[in-house]
Every structure is written in structure tokens, then in C-alpha cells.
Amino acid sequence: MKKTIRSTRLLAMPLTALAAAVISINTTAAETKREAMETIEVTAQVANASSDIERQRNANKVVAVQTSDAIGELPDANVTEALQRMPGVSIARDQGEGRFVGVRGIDPNLNASTINGMSLPAPEADSRAVALDVIPSDLLASLEVYKTLTPDMSADSIGGAIEIKSLNALDQDGQAYKISVENSYSELQEENSPKLAGKFTQVFDLGGRELGVAIAASHQERKFGSENEETDGVWELMEAEDGSEAFGAPEIEQRDYSITRERTGLAANLDYRLSETSQVYLHSLYSDFSDSEERQRNSWKLDKGDLQTITANSASWSDATLDKSLKDRFEEQEILSVIFGGEHDLDIWGVEYALGYSHAEEAEPHRRDTGFKQKGLRLGYVSAGDVPQMAVGADDLAAALDPSSYELDEIVIEDNFTEDEEVSFRIDIHRELQVGGNPSELKFGLQQRTREKTGDMNATTYDGFGGDYTLADFAMNSVDYGLAPFGPGIDKGALNRFIKANRGSFEIDATATALDSARDYVMDEDITALYAMHSVEFNRANLVYGVRYEKTDFSADGNRVIESGEVIPGAEEVAEDVYVSPEKYQRDYSDLFPSINFKYDYTDNIVLRAAFTESQSRPSFGHLNPSAKEIEYDEGELKVEAGNPALDPYEAQNFDFSAEYYADRLGMFSVGVFHKQIDNFVVTADVTASADLIQYVGNLPVDDAEILQPINGDSATLTGAELAWTQGFDNGLLLRANATFADSEAKLGLGADAGRSNTISLPSQADLVGNLIVGYERDALSLRLSTTFTGERLVDVNLENAALDRYQDSHMQVDLSAKYRFANGLQLSFSGVNLNDEPLYINNSGYNGQYEEYGPSYVLGLSYSTF
């Protein structure tokens, strides 16, 4: 069991040696190795697949691995999109780009993400999940997704634990470098986007000691966009004035997005090997992500009018409202991670330690949302399909197309800032033992994490502008919107010049400003963990078991906001009839997490695994926020989105069984089953029927309300199976396929008189996640065609009516990557992303919730490498 601390030289071996090493796993005959080397023509794709498979086989947990070279074979620009190729992994997309990662179909907030062993903070205001698209794939050494845990790992993972490893120069021999340039083209927006990336490693011999220096950098400016039609609210049963009844929508929005995203990533790693059994390191990562977004929107506010007639496929309202608005937003996110640590083996004892600092922030300066309004129109739709076809009454069509008919109604200017900071320390001590003549290791350790997440939200709403302005003063003749006729848009330049010149004379809506600016919060989370773990190596088996203890101290400070016509005792009146009082919450809880992982080499080719683990996932910060995200009150209509700091964490018992077959030639087939028993799952629900409306509007009358709040459900189960297959052929063909089938059942904990079923599937859980990759490599040419599929997922739950639950439709995307390597180290590459033009679609009862198109994009690149 004695360790030798060294880098993973296997990844830097010549391809023929690497293939031979993988082919001869668990065999001792040198003859077999020689025969395998003589038979197989090794390609880069084969070598990359071999490396991934070998690391998976040798692990003492259920894990999926992808090295940087394997990532480079596919058109994946960031960590999120690279992870989607792995068994059981699905992603959530934003504007067509992969952002958040789910494992085994489970909500991304239920995963843990670490880089070089330290937790990553989340710059988003509401999320605990890290949007891994901010990390360029060029900075990676490997990605590992652990589906079972050992006691030396953090217990805050029900879906999976994602470990990102950055470059380590000691994995290379001497000096190596790579530089690449590329350009991507968005077919929908007809825009070009350049990218530049490079990495460099050098190993210095310091008289028996080695210093490895690794530096990587990447910068991309990507211009693209999307076209969207979505329902604000849900389709529900409505009755018209003529007595007809059918499902109808309260408000439908048409949205056109133009986006520029810039990503800059830097990594600098120092690894100092003092001896074969001792090293120290300093690893750092910096990522800067900015998103400049211009959104043109038509809001068909149908429920502001009177419903005249309705059928299953059409409806008409009189005296309705049509709004046109522009969102002009720049958002910047930064992540910094710095880790100092060391590993030292001292005969039978060993120690590992690490001190880490992580900082993430999101700034949204000078965001501007401007709205124009026209009332009294006859509006409706003549088709209620995936993309409802909107219609204007014949007598009102001219007014709907006339910019001068839209009055300037509101300008909202926001300055928002979110910060997430964590300091962590861990120390692990291990000792070699003999148990019944079998080598074993006892390991125990301590980890301390201190985290603070803050949000500073500032919004000013203006509703008076010193004159009667209309859209005609800021009109843009046309908006390039392919889903339907859009009508006039808003000229951003003209509007910003107007705001700059006249803002000092604008009239402030004090009530709306006070409501929107009282969303500040501070949340502190301190986690102390202790563990003990014992691993034993038998002749053909490996056993790892132990227990982990975690204590969590959580506190949240925010604001309670009440719009009321009477004085609220103990609260400060910040605007007329708007009262704010501090909201504080604190709780401590602790848990024990036992686990056992068993691995058995049944034959030289077959590996069996079994595991039982207990874990938890803390609710997202948005769910825990004591300050309401949104409070809107208008003439008896109330809409609230609130948090719930009293939420309990998810708790899970996890069972895993798998069998893996490794062929003598490059090939692997695995089948596994898993079962999770989950308590306290969290669901965002419409709690209007049980909510106390006085806490939001005091004594003001409420005729219609919608209160959305996260709540703990009762219990849930998730049962599934995972299949994975890799096969290489002598003719250069490589096939990789995986599929995860899952079925979940969650109890909402409703009473016997509930108006809906008490059973749902787990929110965000997909019943099927799969990948199919066909690769071919011969001589200098390399091709890969890949398909990813994610099944239907539950998005939102309505506690009163299951017909109002919202689901995200299944999603299948096809990508292509082609590379040609020249003898001098140059490589030419071409990629096509989303070649099948797959949209995003969300619905309730088959009616539109959100339909969004992104279009295909194409990437042409050139690189030079000595790696």
C-alpha cells in the first residue's frame, strides 16, 4: 500500500505504449503485451479512450473519466459541454449553450463541483450550482464524475461529485506547448466569433528535485442569439363572455435576443517535487465571463382585457394591452481559485493538506429595462401550438404597427452585485497497516469550509419623463425575428442617449423602487467535517468503508417587505405605504454519513462493484433567501416569488451495483443499477391557497394572487440503470455509447383533500439521458459524430392542479468534429454544433411554456502543438 507521489506519466506515454498498457490490464504475460502492440494500429482517439477506461477501471469508486485529449476530439468549448458526453450526465442550456450540469437526471443544484480538490463558489445570485461554462475546456487536464462517495469526500452530493483537474507540468516530459486560433459562425445571427487559446508546460531539474510550471490561457468573444416565444404564467381553463371554455394563456411574450459573450480563462500551476515521496504545489485559476444581452420583447397582455371567445386552438380578447420593451444588460462574472497544498509519505505514515481560497462575483451594472404600452386593442391567437400564432383585430392592426401609438410607460435602471467567498482547509493523514496479511490503509482527516454569499440589489423605477414620449421617438424599423411578424422595435442607441440627457428630470416610482431594492441578503455557511476511512486490498478485491461527520452552521439576513395602507409596527416606511423590516434566520444541524465501496476483479476482464453511501444536498441560496425575489401588486392583483430559509437539506441513501467488462483489445462494456431514497426534496410550488397574504400587502385588498415558494416535499425514490459501451476497431473506427434510464417518484406531502395527485417525478429529473459517438481515424484524418439526448423533465409544480405543472420537452442535439493533423504539428479542425437545429421547448398540458430556437453554429480552427 505504500504510495509513491508522482504525476500521472501514463498520460504522456507514446501512443503505442499507452495502448499496450491498457490492453494488458491485469495480465502479467509480457507476450500478450507484445502481441497486442503488433496487432493494433494505435490512433489518438484509441489512446484517449484507453486512458479514460484505464482510470475508470482502477478507481475504487464508480466514476466516469474524460482526459483533456479526449475532450479535444469533440466540439465542446467549455467544461459543461464536455461533461455532457459522459455516462449519466445531462446539461441545462442557456441561449443554447450548456451552463449547468446534472448527474443521473438529477437537478444540477444537487451536485458538488471542485477544482483541484477545492469547492467552487457560484457567482449567480440564486444558485448553489456552478455554471461550469465559465471555465474554458483548454485549461483542463481531466474531468472526473464520481457517482459514489468515500468518507474523504464532501457529503454534499446526491447526484454526483464533479472534479476538475487543471494542467500539471509534471504530467509531461520537458517542455511542451500548444497555441490555437479559431472562428465560429452563428447561422441564426450571421455573426463571426474569434477565439485564441494557448498552454505551456516546462519541467525544471533542480538537482534531484523537479519544478513543473504550467500556464494556460484562453479568450473568446462569441456573438450569437436566439428567438423565443413563451407564456408568462401557465395555460389554464378559462371561460369567455360567450360561455365557451378552453385552456388559455394570460400573457404571451415574443422575444428576440442578440448576445455577445466573452470568456477569458487563465491557469497558472506550480508543482514542486521534493522527492519521490514528497511534493508541494500552488494551483490557481481565474475565469472572467461577460454577457452583453439586448432583448426586444412584445408582451401580449391578454388578461388585461375581456375574454370574448375561446376554443382549444384560438381565443380573442377585447380591450387588451400590447407592450413593447427593451432589455439592455451587461453582466460580468469572475471566479478565482487559489490552492496551496502538499503530499508527503513518511515511511508508513503520510499526510496531505491544502489551504484554498475561492472568490466569485457577478456584477450587473446599469441594466436598463424600458417599456412602452398600448391599451384598448383586440388581441388573441389563431393557433395554440408549440409557437402560438398571435393575431390583432382588423380594426386595430394599423395602431399595433404604428410606433406613435405606444406610450413610454416605464424605465427601470438596476445596479446589482453578488459575491460568493469561501476559505477552506483540509488535512488528511494515512497510515499503512496489515489486516490478516492483506495490505490496508487507515485514513482520517479534517475539513473546514467558511462561506459567505451576499447580494446587493439596487433598482430605480421611473414612470414620469417630463413629456409625452412614444415609441416613435426611439423606433427601430424592423426586428429580425423569424418566428412571426414582430412589428417595430426599440433603438438602443437612441434610447440610451435620451436617458443620459434627461435622467435628472425623470420622476421616480417610489413604491416600485422600494420593493425592488429591498432584495439584499447576506448568507453565511460554515461546514466542519471529520472522517475516518479504512481501505483493504485483498487478492482480487478492494474494500473501502468509513464514516463522515459534517456540522453546518447557517445564517441568513434579509428584508421583509410589506405594501400596506396602514402602519406596520416595528417596520421602517421606505416609501409611501411600503414598509421594510429586517428578516433574520439561523439554524445549526449535523449528520453522520456512513459509506462502503466494494470492488472485485471477478476475472482478468470482469470487474464487479457495489456501494452504499449516505449524502445530502443543501438547498440553493435562492431557495434559502429570506428576501422575496419579486413582489408585484397592482389593483388587487398580487404576484410574489419568495424564498424559504427554513428549508431542510435533501438527505439520501444511495445504493449502487455494477459489472464492467474490459476486452483485451480496446473495448469496454458496463451495466449498473442504482437506487436513491431521498427525503426533504425541494420543489417550487404555487402556495397561494395556504399563504398568509397579509405578510406581503397588509390590509390591501387582493382579488387574485399567485405566491410561488420553495417547500420541502415528503420523500422520493430514484431508481435507474446505466449502460456504457466503448469499442475500437482495427480499421480506425471507434464507437462509444451510453444511456442512463431513471424512474422517480416523489411525494408532495399534501393532505387527503388535495385537488391533485400527491405523486410527481423528481423536479428536473430526466427519465433518459444518452450519448452516441461515432469516431473514425486513419492516418492524419480524425472524424467524430456525436448525439446527445435528454428526456422530458418536470420544471414547475402547481399544488392545486397537475394540469398546470410545467415540463421541459426531450432534447436531442447532433454535433460533428473533423480534424486533420499535418506532420509538422499543425492541425486543422472544423466543427458543427446543433446541426439538427434542436429548439428548447417547455409546456404545460401540451401548451406553450417556452419555445426557443438557437440555430446551428460552425467552427473553423488551426492549432500547433508539441504535446
Side-chain angles (χ1 to χ4, degrees):
M1 292 287 290
K2 185 175 178 63
K3 295 182 179 179
T4 298
I5 298 178
R6 52 187 174 85
S7 59
T8 313
R9 292 283 188 185
L10 177 65
L11 300 180
M13 295 170 67
L15 295 182
T16 52
L18 176 56
V22 175
I23 293 164
S24 60
I25 291 174
N26 277 353
T27 63
T28 57
E31 182 100 14
T32 303
K33 297 181 185 179
R34 287 194 296 272
E35 290 176 1
M37 291 172 64
E38 293 169 357
T39 302
I40 293 181
E41 178 181 348
V42 180
T43 67
Q45 290 192 27
V46 167
N48 297 333
S50 299
S51 175
D52 296 349
I53 290 172
E54 194 232 0
R55 290 176 62 173
Q56 174 182 317
R57 173 172 184 152
N58 291 337
N60 59 8
K61 300 175 279 290
V62 178
V63 63
V65 179
Q66 205 172 19
T67 57
S68 60
D69 291 330
I71 294 168
E73 296 292 338
L74 290 162
D76 300 323
N78 59 65
V79 168
T80 300
E81 293 180 349
L83 283 163
Q84 71 177 315
R85 315 294 180 181
M86 304 172 79
V89 177
S90 60
I91 64 175
R93 299 179 185 273
D94 175 49
Q95 300 295 343
E97 288 192 328
R99 297 214 73 193
F100 298 96
V101 179
V103 180
R104 289 177 166 173
I106 293 178
D107 188 330
N109 279 292
L110 307 188
N111 302 320
S113 297
T114 58
I115 183 163
N116 300 319
M118 287 294 174
S119 298
L120 275 173
E124 286 84 1
D126 295 334
S127 181
R128 187 180 290 275
V130 182
L132 297 176
D133 66 323
V134 301
I135 303 175
S137 57
D138 310 87
L139 310 184
L140 305 180
S142 67
L143 295 171
E144 299 173 356
V145 178
Y146 292 98
K147 299 170 187 177
T148 64
L149 306 177
T150 49
D152 56 344
M153 301 173 66
S154 178
D156 60 349
S157 170
I158 290 178
I162 301 165
E163 166 68 0
I164 303 165
K165 294 188 181 298
S166 59
L167 281 175
N168 184 335
L170 297 180
D171 290 340
Q172 309 296 326
D173 288 317
Q175 184 187 94
Y177 60 90
K178 178 181 179 180
I179 186 168
S180 61
V181 294
E182 66 181 39
N183 182 71
S184 64
Y185 175 77
S186 167
E187 185 175 295
L188 183 70
Q189 295 295 105
E190 299 181 346
E191 292 278 6
N192 289 289
S193 304
K195 179 181 177 181
L196 177 66
K199 56 184 178 180
F200 171 84
T201 65
Q202 176 72 65
V203 178
F204 298 93
D205 188 345
L206 303 179
R209 299 180 178 184
E210 287 184 311
L211 174 64
V213 179
I215 300 172
S218 174
H219 178 77
Q220 180 188 38
E221 180 183 70
R222 183 173 182 229
K223 296 181 179 180
F224 64 109
S226 65
E227 295 176 351
N228 166 301
E229 188 165 327
E230 65 182 71
T231 301
D232 188 359
V234 293
W235 291 66
E236 55 188 323
L237 189 63
M238 295 182 176
E239 181 178 356
E241 292 187 357
D242 66 358
S244 55
E245 288 187 355
F247 266 69
E251 180 178 337
I252 295 176
E253 298 179 349
Q254 298 166 319
R255 301 181 174 194
D256 181 82
Y257 292 88
S258 297
I259 301 165
T260 300
R261 284 182 175 169
E262 289 192 52
R263 291 180 173 89
T264 300
L266 298 171
N269 295 339
L270 301 177
D271 292 89
Y272 187 38
R273 182 179 296 146
L274 303 171
S275 68
E276 284 297 310
T277 59
S278 182
Q279 72 176 27
V280 294
Y281 58 86
L282 179 66
H283 292 168
S284 64
L285 173 75
Y286 172 78
S287 176
D288 180 273
F289 168 87
S290 66
D291 181 274
S292 180
E293 180 180 294
E294 178 181 333
R295 184 198 66 196
Q296 302 276 353
R297 181 177 67 181
N298 290 333
S299 297
W300 301 68
K301 295 183 178 295
L302 307 174
D303 61 348
K304 297 296 183 182
D306 301 315
L307 180 58
Q308 299 298 308
T309 182
I310 189 169
T311 71
N313 204 44
S314 65
S316 177
W317 282 260
S318 64
D319 201 28
T321 299
L322 182 57
D323 285 0
K324 288 183 175 287
S325 62
L326 174 71
K327 178 172 73 173
D328 179 9
R329 186 204 71 183
F330 175 80
E331 175 185 275
E332 185 173 22
Q333 298 179 355
E334 294 183 3
I335 294 178
L336 173 66
S337 173
V338 181
I339 306 167
F340 169 76
E343 304 175 26
H344 309 279
D345 271 6
L346 310 170
D347 196 19
I348 61 174
W349 287 92
V351 61
E352 302 176 15
Y353 52 87
L355 174 65
Y357 171 78
S358 298
H359 176 91
E361 64 181 51
E362 178 182 80
E364 193 179 44
H366 311 304
R367 168 176 169 163
R368 299 177 178 188
D369 292 86
T370 303
F372 296 82
K373 178 176 295 187
Q374 182 177 178
K375 298 180 178 180
L377 298 175
R378 189 176 186 90
L379 304 176
Y381 50 87
V382 295
S383 171
D386 296 351
V387 185
Q389 184 179 346
M390 308 307 296
V392 181
D395 295 339
D396 294 324
L397 182 58
L401 296 175
D402 182 6
S404 65
S405 299
Y406 295 87
E407 298 179 355
L408 177 58
D409 178 59
E410 183 180 82
I411 297 177
V412 180
I413 299 179
E414 296 188 39
D415 289 278
N416 302 321
F417 183 77
T418 304
E419 189 174 38
D420 193 353
E421 193 171 56
E422 179 173 307
V423 177
S424 59
F425 172 75
R426 65 176 175 85
I427 183 169
D428 305 283
I429 299 173
H430 55 87
R431 187 185 190 283
E432 296 176 11
L433 301 169
Q434 290 286 321
V435 176
N438 298 299
S440 73
E441 180 182 79
L442 178 64
K443 188 176 181 181
F444 53 92
L446 163 71
Q447 183 179 32
Q448 177 69 44
R449 297 169 55 192
T450 301
R451 185 173 189 175
E452 181 179 78
K453 193 170 185 91
T454 61
D456 182 13
M457 313 299 176
N458 301 283
T460 304
T461 301
Y462 300 97
D463 60 0
F465 310 100
D468 296 327
Y469 295 93
T470 70
L471 179 57
D473 298 302
F474 315 97
M476 182 173 65
N477 290 331
S478 63
V479 175
D480 186 11
Y481 183 74
L483 297 180
F486 195 89
I490 303 168
D491 187 294
K492 181 177 75 171
L495 181 62
N496 285 341
R497 288 190 294 270
F498 169 74
I499 293 173
K500 184 177 181 180
N502 300 281
R503 183 177 178 182
S505 62
F506 291 173
E507 296 176 13
I508 296 177
D509 182 337
T511 298
T513 298
L515 290 172
D516 289 340
S517 298
R519 297 171 290 156
D520 296 353
Y521 62 85
V522 177
M523 285 181 271
D524 292 296
E525 186 176 78
D526 297 340
I527 301 171
T528 302
L530 300 167
Y531 76 90
M533 181 176 88
H534 186 213
S535 58
V536 186
E537 289 186 6
F538 301 97
N539 183 33
R540 304 185 66 90
N542 176 268
L543 175 66
V544 181
Y545 65 95
V547 66
R548 184 179 183 89
Y549 167 81
E550 288 192 1
K551 181 178 184 298
T552 304
D553 297 327
F554 174 78
S555 65
D557 292 348
N559 296 307
R560 171 171 291 185
V561 182
I562 302 176
E563 188 173 355
S564 174
E566 64 181 14
V567 175
I568 303 298
E572 177 186 0
E573 186 175 14
V574 296
E576 184 177 0
D577 297 335
V578 177
Y579 297 85
V580 175
S581 60
E583 183 83 354
K584 296 181 179 293
Y585 188 86
Q586 184 170 358
R587 68 175 302 187
D588 303 332
Y589 54 93
S590 58
D591 296 278
L592 287 173
F593 303 97
S595 68
I596 181 170
N597 283 263
F598 180 72
K599 172 188 171 187
Y600 178 63
D601 292 327
Y602 181 73
T603 68
D604 289 344
N605 300 95
I606 297 175
V607 176
L608 305 178
R609 299 180 191 268
F612 168 76
T613 61
E614 292 192 3
S615 59
Q616 71 174 199
S617 288
R618 298 167 181 87
S620 71
F621 288 109
H623 285 164
L624 293 169
N625 190 351
S627 300
K629 182 178 180 180
E630 178 183 1
I631 300 177
E632 291 184 2
Y633 178 80
D634 183 21
E635 299 178 354
E637 294 185 5
L638 175 65
K639 183 177 181 180
V640 177
E641 290 185 44
N644 183 0
L647 288 172
D648 291 323
Y650 299 74
E651 297 177 349
Q653 293 182 322
N654 313 289
F655 301 85
D656 287 84
F657 303 92
S658 66
E660 303 161 3
Y661 174 79
Y662 297 88
D664 291 333
R665 295 169 180 258
L666 175 63
M668 184 275 291
F669 177 76
S670 67
V671 57
V673 295
F674 58 89
H675 176 77
K676 297 178 182 290
Q677 178 70 43
I678 304 171
D679 295 324
N680 304 325
F681 74 92
V682 176
V683 59
T684 298
D686 186 334
V687 297
T688 307
S690 59
D692 178 11
L693 303 185
I694 294 176
Q695 64 180 312
Y696 304 114
V697 292
N699 64 338
L700 296 180
V702 177
D703 301 318
D704 184 33
E706 181 185 56
I707 314 296
L708 300 178
Q709 186 178 40
I711 62 171
N712 281 116
D714 188 3
S715 63
T717 59
L718 175 65
T719 303
E722 283 186 337
L723 304 174
W725 174 60
T726 298
Q727 184 63 59
F729 299 90
D730 294 346
N731 62 0
L733 185 66
L734 177 68
L735 300 178
R736 305 192 79 167
N738 59 70
T740 299
F741 303 89
D743 180 67
S744 65
E745 183 177 283
K747 302 293 185 182
L748 290 170
L750 303 176
D753 58 347
R756 61 155 297 154
S757 169
N758 191 40
T759 302
I760 61 171
S761 59
L762 270 172
S764 299
Q765 182 267 317
D767 53 359
L768 172 60
V769 175
N771 288 275
L772 174 62
I773 300 173
V774 180
Y776 176 78
E777 189 163 10
R778 177 62 66 184
D779 299 325
L781 179 65
S782 175
L783 301 172
R784 280 212 176 185
L785 181 68
S786 60
T787 299
T788 60
F789 178 86
T790 303
E792 183 181 70
R793 293 180 271 184
L794 176 63
V795 178
D796 294 312
V797 175
N798 185 286
L799 292 185
E800 297 181 344
N801 188 348
L804 307 186
D805 292 349
R806 300 208 315 163
Y807 290 84
Q808 181 174 327
D809 206 9
S810 60
H811 186 279
M812 185 178 76
Q813 181 169 307
V814 179
D815 304 321
L816 171 70
S817 177
K819 301 178 187 293
Y820 187 86
R821 293 183 298 275
F822 298 92
N824 59 0
L826 284 174
Q827 178 174 267
L828 182 67
S829 63
F830 171 80
S831 299
V833 180
N834 193 23
L835 295 177
N836 58 326
D837 194 11
E838 181 78 348
L840 167 72
Y841 181 56
I842 296 173
N843 73 92
N844 76 282
S845 297
Y847 292 93
N848 170 278
Q850 180 179 349
Y851 180 92
E852 195 162 52
E853 289 186 349
Y854 317 104
S857 60
Y858 308 95
V859 183
L860 183 65
L862 182 67
S863 66
Y864 178 79
S865 175
T866 64
F867 278 86

